[in-house]
Amino acid sequence: MSTPVLLVIAHGSRDPRHAAAVHALVRRVRSLRPDVRVETGFLDFNVPSVQGVLESLETEGVRDVVALPLLLTRAFHAKSDIPAVLADAPPRLRIRQAEVLGPSPLLLSALERRLYEAGLTPADKSSTGVVLASAGSSDPEAIAVIAEIAREWRHTGWCAVRPAFASASLPRTEDAVRELRALGCARVAVAPYVLAPGFLPDRIARGAAEADVLADVLGPSPEVARVLLERYDAARVPVLAAVGA
Protein backbone atom coordinates (compact mmCIF):
# COMPACT_ATOMS: atom_id res chain seq x y z
CA MET A 1 0.00 0.00 0.00
CA SER A 2 1.59 3.27 -1.10
CA THR A 3 1.74 6.40 1.03
CA PRO A 4 -0.43 9.18 -0.45
CA VAL A 5 1.41 12.00 -2.16
CA LEU A 6 1.13 15.28 -0.28
CA LEU A 7 0.19 18.10 -2.66
CA VAL A 8 0.68 21.49 -1.03
CA ILE A 9 -1.63 24.02 -2.72
CA ALA A 10 -0.44 27.62 -2.45
CA HIS A 11 -2.24 30.68 -3.69
CA GLY A 12 0.60 32.10 -5.77
CA SER A 13 1.71 35.70 -6.24
CA ARG A 14 3.44 38.02 -8.66
CA ASP A 15 5.86 38.72 -5.79
CA PRO A 16 8.75 36.23 -6.12
CA ARG A 17 9.20 36.20 -2.34
CA HIS A 18 5.91 34.32 -2.03
CA ALA A 19 6.98 31.28 -4.04
CA ALA A 20 10.41 31.31 -2.39
CA ALA A 21 8.81 31.09 1.06
CA VAL A 22 6.46 28.31 -0.05
CA HIS A 23 9.33 26.26 -1.47
CA ALA A 24 11.38 26.80 1.71
CA LEU A 25 8.48 25.51 3.80
CA VAL A 26 8.06 22.47 1.57
CA ARG A 27 11.77 21.70 1.87
CA ARG A 28 11.41 21.73 5.65
CA VAL A 29 8.42 19.40 5.45
CA ARG A 30 10.40 17.00 3.28
CA SER A 31 13.26 17.04 5.76
CA LEU A 32 10.88 16.12 8.59
CA ARG A 33 9.19 13.29 6.67
CA PRO A 34 11.48 11.89 3.99
CA ASP A 35 9.09 8.96 3.57
CA VAL A 36 6.41 11.24 2.14
CA ARG A 37 6.52 12.56 -1.40
CA VAL A 38 5.66 16.27 -1.29
CA GLU A 39 4.71 18.28 -4.37
CA THR A 40 3.73 21.94 -4.71
CA GLY A 41 1.07 23.47 -6.95
CA PHE A 42 -0.13 27.07 -7.27
CA LEU A 43 -3.62 28.37 -7.92
CA ASP A 44 -2.42 31.42 -9.79
CA PHE A 45 0.62 33.42 -10.98
CA ASN A 46 3.23 30.70 -10.36
CA VAL A 47 4.07 27.32 -11.85
CA PRO A 48 3.50 24.48 -11.64
CA SER A 49 -0.27 24.82 -11.55
CA VAL A 50 -2.31 22.50 -9.33
CA GLN A 51 -3.93 20.97 -12.42
CA GLY A 52 -0.54 20.40 -14.03
CA VAL A 53 0.83 18.61 -10.98
CA LEU A 54 -2.26 16.40 -10.72
CA GLU A 55 -2.02 15.44 -14.38
CA SER A 56 1.67 14.60 -13.98
CA LEU A 57 0.97 12.45 -10.94
CA GLU A 58 -1.75 10.55 -12.78
CA THR A 59 0.58 9.96 -15.72
CA GLU A 60 3.19 8.51 -13.35
CA GLY A 61 0.65 6.05 -11.99
CA VAL A 62 0.04 7.75 -8.65
CA ARG A 63 -3.43 7.02 -7.32
CA ASP A 64 -3.70 8.56 -3.84
CA VAL A 65 -3.21 12.25 -3.10
CA VAL A 66 -3.80 14.41 -0.05
CA ALA A 67 -4.36 17.99 -1.23
CA LEU A 68 -3.44 20.43 1.51
CA PRO A 69 -4.47 24.10 1.23
CA LEU A 70 -1.60 26.30 2.37
CA LEU A 71 -4.06 28.60 4.11
CA LEU A 72 -4.53 29.75 7.68
CA THR A 73 -8.33 30.06 7.63
CA ARG A 74 -11.27 28.43 5.87
CA ALA A 75 -12.32 31.22 3.54
CA PHE A 76 -13.14 31.48 -0.17
CA HIS A 77 -10.07 29.68 -1.51
CA ALA A 78 -10.53 26.67 0.78
CA LYS A 79 -14.29 26.51 0.32
CA SER A 80 -14.57 27.23 -3.39
CA ASP A 81 -11.40 27.66 -5.48
CA ILE A 82 -9.53 24.57 -4.34
CA PRO A 83 -12.51 22.16 -4.42
CA ALA A 84 -13.27 23.38 -7.96
CA VAL A 85 -9.71 22.68 -9.12
CA LEU A 86 -9.70 19.26 -7.48
CA ALA A 87 -13.04 18.41 -9.08
CA ASP A 88 -11.34 18.72 -12.47
CA ALA A 89 -8.51 16.35 -11.52
CA PRO A 90 -7.89 13.20 -13.56
CA PRO A 91 -10.60 10.71 -12.56
CA ARG A 92 -8.19 7.91 -11.65
CA LEU A 93 -6.75 9.96 -8.79
CA ARG A 94 -8.21 9.45 -5.32
CA ILE A 95 -7.92 12.87 -3.70
CA ARG A 96 -8.78 13.99 -0.19
CA GLN A 97 -8.64 17.67 0.72
CA ALA A 98 -6.97 18.24 4.08
CA GLU A 99 -8.04 20.93 6.52
CA VAL A 100 -6.44 24.36 6.46
CA LEU A 101 -3.56 24.97 8.84
CA GLY A 102 -5.28 27.17 11.40
CA PRO A 103 -6.15 27.43 14.12
CA SER A 104 -3.46 25.47 15.96
CA PRO A 105 -1.46 25.94 19.17
CA LEU A 106 1.64 25.34 17.07
CA LEU A 107 0.86 28.43 15.03
CA LEU A 108 0.73 30.49 18.21
CA SER A 109 4.15 29.09 19.05
CA ALA A 110 5.35 30.13 15.60
CA LEU A 111 4.02 33.65 16.12
CA GLU A 112 5.88 33.91 19.42
CA ARG A 113 9.04 32.54 17.81
CA ARG A 114 8.91 35.34 15.25
CA LEU A 115 8.32 37.97 17.95
CA TYR A 116 11.29 36.74 19.97
CA GLU A 117 13.43 36.68 16.83
CA ALA A 118 12.43 40.33 16.34
CA GLY A 119 13.80 41.27 19.75
CA LEU A 120 11.19 40.55 22.40
CA THR A 121 11.77 38.15 25.29
CA PRO A 122 9.32 36.13 27.40
CA ALA A 123 9.87 38.68 30.18
CA ASP A 124 8.35 41.35 27.91
CA LYS A 125 4.99 39.63 27.51
CA SER A 126 3.08 41.22 30.37
CA SER A 127 3.97 44.75 29.25
CA THR A 128 3.60 44.23 25.49
CA GLY A 129 0.46 44.57 23.44
CA VAL A 130 0.35 42.51 20.26
CA VAL A 131 -1.47 43.14 17.01
CA LEU A 132 -2.41 39.85 15.36
CA ALA A 133 -2.33 41.09 11.79
CA SER A 134 -3.90 38.84 9.16
CA ALA A 135 -4.54 39.30 5.45
CA GLY A 136 -8.27 39.75 5.98
CA SER A 137 -11.33 38.17 4.43
CA SER A 138 -14.95 38.89 3.58
CA ASP A 139 -15.85 35.49 5.04
CA PRO A 140 -17.40 35.91 8.52
CA GLU A 141 -16.15 32.47 9.62
CA ALA A 142 -12.55 33.41 8.87
CA ILE A 143 -12.87 36.75 10.69
CA ALA A 144 -14.40 35.04 13.73
CA VAL A 145 -11.51 32.55 13.83
CA ILE A 146 -8.92 35.37 13.85
CA ALA A 147 -10.78 37.12 16.68
CA GLU A 148 -10.89 33.89 18.69
CA ILE A 149 -7.17 33.29 18.16
CA ALA A 150 -6.48 36.79 19.50
CA ARG A 151 -8.59 36.11 22.60
CA GLU A 152 -6.86 32.78 23.18
CA TRP A 153 -3.40 34.27 22.73
CA ARG A 154 -4.15 37.04 25.22
CA HIS A 155 -4.58 34.38 27.92
CA THR A 156 -0.95 33.28 27.54
CA GLY A 157 0.34 36.40 29.30
CA TRP A 158 0.46 39.30 26.84
CA CYS A 159 -0.67 42.73 28.01
CA ALA A 160 -3.34 42.68 25.30
CA VAL A 161 -3.87 41.18 21.85
CA ARG A 162 -5.93 42.81 19.11
CA PRO A 163 -6.78 41.39 15.67
CA ALA A 164 -6.23 43.51 12.56
CA PHE A 165 -6.73 42.97 8.84
CA ALA A 166 -4.88 44.13 5.75
CA SER A 167 -7.97 43.96 3.54
CA ALA A 168 -11.74 43.38 3.47
CA SER A 169 -12.23 43.86 7.22
CA LEU A 170 -11.45 46.33 9.99
CA PRO A 171 -9.52 47.39 12.01
CA ARG A 172 -6.35 48.00 10.04
CA THR A 173 -2.96 47.32 11.63
CA GLU A 174 -2.23 51.00 12.34
CA ASP A 175 -5.58 51.42 14.15
CA ALA A 176 -4.93 48.38 16.35
CA VAL A 177 -1.44 49.72 17.17
CA ARG A 178 -2.95 53.01 18.32
CA GLU A 179 -5.60 51.21 20.37
CA LEU A 180 -2.94 49.26 22.24
CA ARG A 181 -1.01 52.49 22.89
CA ALA A 182 -4.19 54.01 24.31
CA LEU A 183 -4.62 51.00 26.58
CA GLY A 184 -1.28 51.82 28.17
CA CYS A 185 0.83 48.91 26.95
CA ALA A 186 4.50 49.78 27.44
CA ARG A 187 5.36 48.53 23.97
CA VAL A 188 3.41 47.39 20.93
CA ALA A 189 4.40 44.55 18.61
CA VAL A 190 2.88 43.50 15.32
CA ALA A 191 2.77 39.77 14.55
CA PRO A 192 1.82 39.05 10.92
CA TYR A 193 -0.44 36.00 10.80
CA VAL A 194 0.51 35.28 7.20
CA LEU A 195 2.57 32.53 5.65
CA ALA A 196 4.59 34.31 2.99
CA PRO A 197 5.67 37.79 1.93
CA GLY A 198 3.63 39.70 -0.63
CA PHE A 199 1.32 42.65 -1.23
CA LEU A 200 -0.85 42.30 1.89
CA PRO A 201 2.05 41.50 4.26
CA ASP A 202 3.74 44.65 2.93
CA ARG A 203 0.59 46.59 3.82
CA ILE A 204 0.75 45.11 7.32
CA ALA A 205 4.37 46.26 7.60
CA ARG A 206 3.43 49.81 6.59
CA GLY A 207 0.67 49.78 9.19
CA ALA A 208 3.22 48.78 11.83
CA ALA A 209 5.21 52.01 11.38
CA GLU A 210 4.25 53.26 14.84
CA ALA A 211 4.83 49.91 16.57
CA ASP A 212 7.99 49.09 18.53
CA VAL A 213 8.43 45.62 17.04
CA LEU A 214 7.46 44.07 13.71
CA ALA A 215 7.86 40.31 13.46
CA ASP A 216 8.53 38.44 10.25
CA VAL A 217 5.90 36.36 8.44
CA LEU A 218 5.49 32.77 9.61
CA GLY A 219 7.27 31.37 6.55
CA PRO A 220 9.12 28.07 6.85
CA SER A 221 9.12 27.97 10.65
CA PRO A 222 9.33 24.45 12.09
CA GLU A 223 5.97 24.83 13.81
CA VAL A 224 4.23 25.54 10.51
CA ALA A 225 5.85 22.49 8.95
CA ARG A 226 4.63 20.35 11.85
CA VAL A 227 1.06 21.64 11.49
CA LEU A 228 1.19 20.86 7.79
CA LEU A 229 2.16 17.27 8.52
CA GLU A 230 -0.52 16.97 11.20
CA ARG A 231 -3.15 17.97 8.65
CA TYR A 232 -1.69 15.52 6.13
CA ASP A 233 -1.75 12.64 8.61
CA ALA A 234 -5.35 13.39 9.63
CA ALA A 235 -6.45 13.38 5.99
CA ARG A 236 -4.45 10.36 4.82
CA VAL A 237 -6.05 7.89 7.25
CA PRO A 238 -9.43 7.81 5.41
CA VAL A 239 -7.56 7.55 2.10
CA LEU A 240 -5.65 4.49 3.26
CA ALA A 241 -8.76 2.98 4.80
CA ALA A 242 -10.57 3.34 1.49
CA VAL A 243 -7.69 1.68 -0.35
CA GLY A 244 -7.65 -1.22 2.04
CA ALA A 245 -11.43 -1.69 2.03
Side-chain angles (χ1 to χ4, degrees):
M1 184 183 301
S2 62
T3 301
V5 171
L6 168 55
L7 172 58
V8 176
I9 301 179
H11 182 275
S13 172
R14 292 185 179 90
D15 189 324
R17 297 174 297 167
H18 173 88
V22 170
H23 291 310
L25 175 59
V26 168
R27 286 194 296 271
R28 185 178 287 275
V29 171
R30 288 179 179 138
S31 71
L32 292 175
R33 289 283 292 277
D35 60 309
V36 176
R37 178 177 175 180
V38 187
E39 299 292 341
T40 308
F42 295 89
L43 292 174
D44 206 355
F45 302 116
N46 301 103
V47 292
S49 68
V50 175
Q51 188 67 26
V53 174
L54 291 172
E55 290 173 357
S56 295
L57 291 174
E58 192 270 344
T59 299
E60 291 179 31
V62 171
R63 291 295 173 262
D64 297 300
V65 177
V66 169
L68 193 149
L70 197 60
L71 301 168
L72 294 172
T73 59
R74 266 183 49 79
F76 180 77
H77 295 304
K79 294 177 179 179
S80 180
D81 280 359
I82 292 175
V85 172
L86 298 180
D88 288 335
R92 283 187 288 181
L93 289 177
R94 289 182 290 252
I95 303 175
R96 186 171 182 85
Q97 182 175 328
E99 293 295 327
V100 298
L101 301 184
S104 168
L106 283 170
L107 294 178
L108 288 181
S109 297
L111 287 165
E112 295 205 356
R113 170 192 290 275
R114 292 301 189 225
L115 286 170
Y116 297 151
E117 289 171 350
L120 293 179
T121 70
D124 296 324
K125 291 184 74 168
S126 63
S127 58
T128 301
V130 178
V131 177
L132 179 67
S134 74
S137 173
S138 58
D139 188 305
E141 177 187 347
I143 297 304
V145 166
I146 298 298
E148 179 57 31
I149 291 170
R151 284 191 291 269
E152 179 182 342
W153 203 14
R154 163 68 182 86
H155 295 314
T156 65
W158 296 101
C159 173
V161 180
R162 293 290 184 272
F165 307 95
S167 68
S169 307
L170 296 174
R172 295 286 184 258
T173 301
E174 53 268 34
D175 298 323
V177 169
R178 292 171 189 139
E179 180 185 353
L180 290 171
R181 290 270 188 230
L183 282 175
C185 298
R187 67 184 63 79
V188 176
V190 173
Y193 190 59
V194 292
L195 289 167
F199 176 76
L200 293 178
D202 284 349
R203 180 179 289 177
I204 290 171
R206 290 193 296 273
E210 297 179 16
D212 302 294
V213 173
L214 171 62
D216 199 358
V217 300
L218 295 174
S221 63
E223 295 86 356
V224 175
R226 287 169 58 196
V227 175
L228 200 150
L229 286 169
E230 284 184 357
R231 299 293 184 258
Y232 167 75
D233 286 333
R236 70 189 283 263
V237 172
V239 171
L240 294 177
V243 174

